[in-house]
Amino acid sequence: MKILVLTSKYNNYSATIINHLLQTQKNLDIVLGLSNGIYSNKKSLLSEIKSIYKEQGALFLVYKIKLFLKTKLNVILRKFSMLSKAKRNVYYSIKELGYSNVIYFDDINKEDSINRIKNERFDLVISIGFTQILKKQLLNLNIKYGFINLHPSLLPQYSGCMPSFWVLYNKELKSGVTLHKMEEKVDEGGIYLSEEVEVNSSDNLNSLKLKTAFKACELLDKFFEDVECHIHKAPLKQNNEFRTYFPMPNKQKHDLSYSVLKRIL
């Protein structure tokens, strides 16, 4: 089976899941699809720092810098086989995986991108932390098993951006992962599989993202045990009465105080 995995370059949630997929599903022909051009967040370092500081605050900036440094350190420690056993399956970027079967998309909804996906004859397209919204023309392609999304929350709750952040912000006691059919509306579409994870008082954004990543790996294992069964049975319709949507955290619009961010980050 040939699959396209749409993802982002720097995300410990998606990189950890994709590593698991590459290591356990040897029978799959996996191609990674990454954002390029205007969707790749390629700002200068200074403008990126200014943007994070202005929109999300100083602590968020510190968190991003720590994550960047941790990514670099992880690469070095892995190279010299110095990672602890508990951290060997944790990845912070796609680059760490050393995987070369990659397609870059400037805009995945443009005609050349759609034709590329069509001509590659993929059997399945999975979105895992991808930064572009797939539109109707793309989703209507004749892909054997269609388009599915792996979202780090229990849909229909916490649809939208950075669900793990908002779960911690709202002091929830549980979160989870949902594998669902993709539709043009973000994070909607019938649910194939979902699993809960417990949220502890000691969890921060990094630990919760990794919890959901490891639970997502279990979900994908179940899914690939019998793809035909999961795809061809009617997915569970989401109840929009319980839908909640959250945007990207913003200092001006939300209470991103020192005490709140310190607890989350």
Side-chain angles (χ1 to χ4, degrees), residues 40-51:
S40 63
N41 298 319
K42 284 185 176 178
K43 301 177 182 178
S44 70
L45 181 59
L46 183 59
S47 63
E48 181 73 21
I49 289 171
K50 286 180 177 178
S51 175

Side-chain angles (χ1 to χ4, degrees), residues 20-255:
H20 176 82
L21 201 57
L22 293 170
Q23 297 305 315
T24 60
Q25 303 297 329
K26 301 291 187 179
N27 60 321
L28 298 178
D29 180 7
I30 298 173
V31 180
L32 302 184
L34 301 179
S35 291
N36 204 353
I38 60 172
Y39 291 96
S40 63
N41 298 319
K42 284 185 176 178
K43 301 177 182 178
S44 70
L45 181 59
L46 183 59
S47 63
E48 181 73 21
I49 289 171
K50 286 180 177 178
S51 175
I52 294 170
Y53 180 80
K54 181 181 178 182
E55 295 172 14
Q56 298 175 307
L59 277 186
F60 230 112
L61 177 60
V62 171
Y63 166 76
K64 293 277 189 178
I65 293 171
K66 283 171 65 178
L67 201 59
F68 173 78
L69 294 174
K70 190 174 285 189
T71 301
K72 297 297 183 184
L73 179 61
N74 226 48
V75 173
I76 295 169
L77 294 178
R78 195 181 305 281
K79 183 178 180 181
F80 293 100
S81 302
M82 295 173 65
L83 283 174
S84 67
K85 188 175 180 180
K87 293 182 179 179
R88 285 173 197 166
N89 292 325
V90 175
Y91 286 78
Y92 289 89
S93 73
I94 296 301
K95 188 177 180 181
E96 279 188 81
L97 304 179
Y99 196 67
S100 58
N101 199 0
V102 178
I103 300 174
Y104 291 92
F105 296 105
D106 290 333
D107 182 345
I108 199 167
N109 295 293
K110 282 189 174 179
E111 188 175 354
D112 59 341
S113 299
I114 293 173
N115 288 336
R116 176 73 186 272
I117 293 171
K118 183 179 180 180
N119 293 336
E120 290 277 351
R121 298 183 182 277
F122 292 109
D123 297 298
L124 175 70
V125 179
I126 305 178
S127 174
I128 307 175
F130 193 54
T131 54
Q132 302 181 38
I133 296 173
L134 277 60
K135 295 182 180 177
K136 189 175 182 179
Q137 186 180 358
L138 177 58
L139 294 172
N140 283 344
L141 278 181
N142 185 24
I143 302 292
K144 183 178 181 180
Y145 297 119
F147 292 77
I148 61 176
N149 180 44
L150 194 58
H151 184 76
S153 82
L154 291 173
L155 292 174
Q157 295 184 322
Y158 290 94
S159 62
C161 302
M162 292 188 70
S164 293
F165 176 90
W166 292 112
V167 163
L168 292 168
Y169 181 92
N170 291 323
K171 299 182 181 180
E172 300 283 7
L173 299 178
K174 69 177 182 180
S175 185
V177 184
T178 304
L179 188 68
H180 69 98
K181 182 178 180 179
M182 291 187 77
E183 293 185 357
E184 195 171 10
K185 291 184 178 179
V186 175
D187 298 329
E188 295 197 16
I191 295 171
Y192 292 115
L193 292 166
S194 65
E195 291 279 355
E196 287 186 8
V197 297
E198 183 181 346
V199 181
N200 300 321
S201 58
S202 59
D203 275 320
N204 58 25
L205 184 55
N206 189 57
S207 67
L208 183 54
K209 284 173 72 178
L210 290 176
K211 271 187 182 180
T212 55
F214 290 131
K215 186 59 70 174
C217 292
E218 294 177 18
L219 218 62
L220 285 178
D221 288 344
K222 290 180 183 178
F223 177 76
F224 282 111
E225 281 176 8
D226 195 343
V227 176
E228 295 274 353
C229 175
H230 290 298
I231 291 294
H232 290 138
K233 72 178 181 182
L236 180 66
K237 187 176 181 181
Q238 293 190 42
N239 187 345
N240 285 329
E241 183 181 344
F242 298 104
R243 178 169 300 280
T244 54
Y245 173 86
F246 292 87
M248 189 65 72
N250 186 287
K251 186 173 68 172
Q252 276 70 44
K253 297 177 182 177
H254 311 112
D255 178 24

